[in-house]
Amino acid sequence: MRFFGWASALTVALALAACGPNRPQPLSAFDGRVADWTQEILSDSPELATQAGATPEQAGGAYQSRLDDRSANAVDSRRSAALRREAEIRAINTRDLTPAQLLTYDVLREQFEEAADGAAFDYGAFSPLNGIEPYVLNQMDSAFITLPSFFDERVDIHSIADAQNYLTRLKQVGVAIDQETERARVDAQRGVRPPLFIMDETIAALDGMRSQQLDAQPYIISLKRKLDAFVAANASAPNHDALAQQAQNILAQGEAIVRDNILPAEDRTVLFLRADRGNATDEAGVSRLPRGDDFYAAALKINTTTDLTPDQIHRIGLDRVRDLSNQLDIALRRVGLTDGAVGARLSQLTADKRYQYDDSDAGRAQLMADVQGRINAVMQRAPQWFGHLPRARLEVRRVPPFAEAGQPGAYYSPPSLNGSSPGVYYVNLRDLSEMTKIDLPTQDFHEAVPGHHFQIAIAQELPNVPLIRRLLSFNAYAEGWALYAEQLADEQGFYENDPVGRIGYLRWQLWRAARLVVDTGLHAQHWTRQQAIDYLTTTTGDQPGTIATEVDRYIVWPGQACSYELGRREIERLRERARNTLGQDFDLRHYHDVVLGSGAVPLGVLDSLVEAWMPQQHNAGQTRSQQ
């Protein structure tokens, strides 16, 4: 965030690149400011620039050999920059802005305000685009977890120069891990540390990675695979033998870096955690931290883009849990499960071998084939529900084994903006008892299509939208859309001949409602970890391993779990308002296009977009009826 130039040639190039291959036009003052902000953020985050596939001009210079700076000074600079950007956007006179510029202004103002709220806390993790977390070291997204995946998914090798950049970046991994460890050490001196059980999970994750042989380290597996592919792609080159030898030398250098730099840094992190764990307690929520209630309020605002209080969210969750439990009671009775609480019957259904995959290579292969089949079926029917479909490819992959223990059941990784890498739907195959035929279909609709892949890929492909808006993600909008996508699949008949699959859909919905109760319970009502586990076990009947992993995720990501249901409920509310207002002029495809057609936005901005669209849709319907 240190680069900031109001009128540089790079700024002009960035804005023009964001607008596509049109003839260059002079930048307005507002567009220039937006371009500067974008370049500033990308310049500060080489990892984000890599994920986006940004050009060096867009990122303020070459970035392919750098990782993000995770030092305390760098994080403090990001916080200061976030506060400055909020002041800058507040000072803008909006009177002369075009409608498109006003939309960008509204989106960025809320984003910058939320980032500024998060920047008010001087501990934990902070990102100007992704919000705040209380603990630098955790089992979910510390550098030792995220960087192996970053190198595997995002760092390509198509030349010897690329391979050298890979090595240069690899040398910085140990530094990144040490930087986070030092920040965690400083936080601990202020009384900010994870609960004891989170520290132990983090230690276990590190121990698992450190225990692997050198040639089984994720960085080396990835580097070897990429080098082998590069050498194979140049099999007919006259200098093939020399390239092969260079590749071997680069692999040996990579092994030395992992052995001499990365593993020792991981050792130092474990030593710190083991030494500090005696100071930890089992208190799960953030209310015990400095200004903990304010921290949670900021996290809720960032993740939900609403002003709802913890008590209001808790009540919304309880009401929704009650409604879905009643629906599940009826659905379970229809398949012959009539006795006991809903959660107990769901647990009984999950344990039924008929709905489980065989825990073997063949079972895993069948699971992945079933996932791909459902994705294909959705894509065949999607034109009936959407006027615009994403161009980016979607691939289904297994979660890397080194990351399985601390990762959720599935997640989506966006495509790069330049199209060089596809969207990827990752499925966690650590324990197939957690991936039943009951729940898996709904997970596919959420994480892949028509869920995250549709929303994120379409946002990235929007023409004439500033690059920064194609990089933004508001959790309530993004996760709300994915949860709505599950509902859409049900409404469109994907469970007509699958009553057990529909029970899985209802249970997924129940999970998201229960998250409202548990997240606010943990962080605002002083619930213990065991209280949260017991509530989810009784309510959902899910597997103990799944429930514990989820609860620990809510503990280290306060507020994030509340975004799903609150976003879904708003997207559905706006749809029904539009349907009632427009009557026969309502078109589901057009509604979905307006929801997705401006990229990720706060829920309040989405409300305004739908309000502006309804008269246009009504007028278009009148025109059609007169023709």
Side-chain angles (χ1 to χ4, degrees), residues 91-103:
I92 289 176
N93 185 340
T94 62
R95 182 179 55 196
D96 296 327
L97 298 185
T98 67
Q101 290 172 330
L102 277 171
L103 176 58

Side-chain angles (χ1 to χ4, degrees), residues 499-554:
V500 171
R502 188 167 192 276
I503 289 172
Y505 154 70
L506 290 172
R507 179 160 73 175
W508 274 91
Q509 296 280 314
L510 181 67
W511 254 105
R512 277 41 168 272
R515 284 174 174 174
L516 300 181
V517 180
V518 170
D519 196 283
T520 52
L522 287 164
H523 296 295
Q525 299 185 10
H526 308 288
W527 281 23
T528 66
R529 178 179 188 256
Q530 193 59 51
Q531 277 180 277
I533 290 173
D534 290 345
Y535 176 82
L536 288 174
T537 300
T538 301
T539 302
T540 70
D542 218 325
Q543 295 290 309
T546 300
I547 289 173
T549 298
E550 286 291 303
V551 168
D552 292 343
R553 166 187 163 191
Y554 310 153

Side-chain angles (χ1 to χ4, degrees), residues 138-432:
N138 61 67
Q139 82 287 9
M140 294 293 298
D141 60 0
S142 297
F144 76 90
I145 286 287
T146 61
L147 287 178
S149 296
F150 170 77
F151 275 85
D152 187 58
E153 298 168 20
R154 299 298 182 183
V155 183
D156 296 325
I157 294 179
H158 300 300
S159 67
I160 293 297
D162 288 343
Q164 294 292 349
N165 283 334
Y166 189 110
L167 290 179
T168 302
R169 274 181 155 165
L170 199 62
K171 292 175 183 176
Q172 300 167 47
V173 171
V175 174
I177 294 172
D178 282 336
Q179 288 173 335
E180 289 195 342
T181 302
E182 181 56 30
R183 283 167 48 213
R185 191 189 314 276
V186 172
D187 282 355
Q189 293 169 356
R190 306 172 185 168
V192 177
R193 58 175 57 84
L196 178 60
F197 48 85
I198 295 296
M199 294 181 80
D200 285 344
E201 288 179 30
T202 307
I203 291 169
L206 279 159
D207 283 344
M209 299 179 73
R210 292 157 64 237
S211 66
Q212 296 169 344
Q213 295 295 318
L214 188 59
D215 60 0
Q217 288 289 326
Y219 298 103
I220 300 306
I221 292 173
S222 175
L223 177 58
K224 185 177 187 306
R225 187 184 72 249
K226 293 169 191 265
L227 288 171
D228 288 347
F230 165 66
V231 171
N234 289 274
S236 60
N239 62 338
H240 174 262
D241 290 343
L243 288 176
Q245 184 58 54
Q246 283 181 285
Q248 286 299 313
N249 293 338
I250 288 168
L251 181 62
Q253 293 176 60
E255 290 175 341
I257 292 168
V258 172
R259 181 188 64 240
D260 299 335
N261 297 90
I262 297 176
L263 292 177
E266 292 176 351
D267 290 342
R268 289 188 286 272
T269 302
V270 170
L271 286 173
F272 160 70
L273 289 170
R274 291 193 193 282
D276 191 50
R277 69 182 298 279
N279 299 314
T281 70
D282 283 334
E283 291 184 73
V286 296
S287 59
R288 63 187 165 80
L289 302 179
R291 298 176 56 213
D293 291 338
D294 292 338
F295 188 99
Y296 187 49
L300 282 176
K301 172 67 174 175
I302 291 168
N303 282 288
T304 71
T305 63
T306 74
D307 293 317
L308 292 169
T309 67
D311 285 346
Q312 290 172 320
I313 294 171
H314 196 80
R315 175 53 56 187
I316 291 169
L318 289 172
D319 291 344
R320 178 72 170 160
V321 165
R322 186 180 306 111
D323 176 60
L324 288 165
S325 295
N326 290 336
Q327 292 185 51
L328 276 161
D329 176 49
I330 296 169
L332 288 163
R333 290 178 183 278
R334 286 175 177 166
V335 296
L337 293 172
T338 60
D339 298 329
V342 165
R345 281 180 277 164
L346 286 171
S347 183
Q348 181 182 347
L349 189 69
T350 302
D352 193 322
K353 297 296 185 183
R354 292 177 295 173
Y355 308 122
Q356 295 181 357
Y357 288 93
D358 184 55
D359 195 5
S360 65
D361 290 343
R364 286 173 170 78
Q366 183 60 57
L367 185 153
M368 298 296 272
D370 289 347
V371 169
Q372 189 64 59
R374 272 186 294 274
I375 289 172
N376 294 343
V378 170
M379 293 306 297
Q380 287 179 345
R381 294 183 55 188
Q384 300 173 28
W385 321 326
F386 299 88
H388 182 75
L389 299 176
R391 296 190 301 272
R393 295 179 295 116
L394 174 68
E395 293 184 4
V396 182
R397 299 179 190 170
R398 177 179 180 172
V399 172
F402 69 82
E404 285 179 346
Q407 294 301 311
Y411 57 91
Y412 174 75
S413 180
S416 60
L417 288 177
N418 64 5
S420 61
S421 60
V424 181
Y425 168 32
Y426 284 96
V427 182
N428 197 327
L429 302 182
R430 65 186 165 209
D431 181 356
L432 291 200

